[in-house]
Each structure stands twice: as C-alpha cells, then as structure tokens.
Amino acid sequence: MLLLLLPSSQAAVQLMNYLCDYAATPSILPKLDFIEGIPDDCVTMVAVPTLLLNEEQVRGLVESLEVRYLGNHDRISILVC
C-alpha cells in the first residue's frame, strides 16, 4: 500500500491539473493606461527587508537602491530607514 501511495498521489495531482487547465479558459486581463505617468491613487511602496551585517553588504544595498532609482524615471521619493 505504501509503495502505491506516492505514484497514485502524483497521478491524482496530474489529473487535477489537466482537468483544471481544460475547464478554465484563458481570458484577456484588463490593463491600466500609464502613458502619462502613474496617478497618485495608483502609487505603491516597495519595502526591501535587510539585515545590515557588514560594510560590504551595506554598500551593495546602496548600489541596488541606486539601480532601482535610476530604473524608475517617474517622480518618486525613496525613504531609507
């Protein structure tokens, strides 16, 4: 019984995946128009949790923060705590 448990559970998972894929048809997702910039009611904040262990890691985090800042040309404010 134990020898058949793993193969039968894998077969059941594959069967359910196939049935769900067959039953759910893909649909077009709605899009937002941000050609003129991001309006104030659609802004988000991204938090990057980190542990500051040594100076090398802090320098790497500051560099990645600079890359994120340079990659976003919209008006943003970056808060570093």
Side-chain angles (χ1 to χ4, degrees), residues 27-31:
S27 61
I28 297 175
L29 296 175
K31 298 177 184 175

Side-chain angles (χ1 to χ4, degrees), residues 52 54-66:
L52 305 176
N54 55 33
E55 185 178 345
E56 181 181 329
Q57 183 187 18
V58 172
R59 289 184 190 278
L61 290 171
V62 170
E63 183 177 321
S64 67
L65 183 63
E66 181 181 13

Side-chain angles (χ1 to χ4, degrees), residues 17-63:
N17 286 338
Y18 175 76
L19 292 175
C20 289
D21 286 343
Y22 182 74
T25 58
S27 61
I28 297 175
L29 296 175
K31 298 177 184 175
L32 297 174
D33 184 15
F34 291 138
I35 291 175
E36 297 178 6
I38 300 174
D40 289 337
D41 61 338
C42 292
V43 296
T44 58
M45 182 172 78
V46 177
V48 181
T50 59
L51 291 174
L52 305 176
L53 300 175
N54 55 33
E55 185 178 345
E56 181 181 329
Q57 183 187 18
V58 172
R59 289 184 190 278
L61 290 171
V62 170
E63 183 177 321

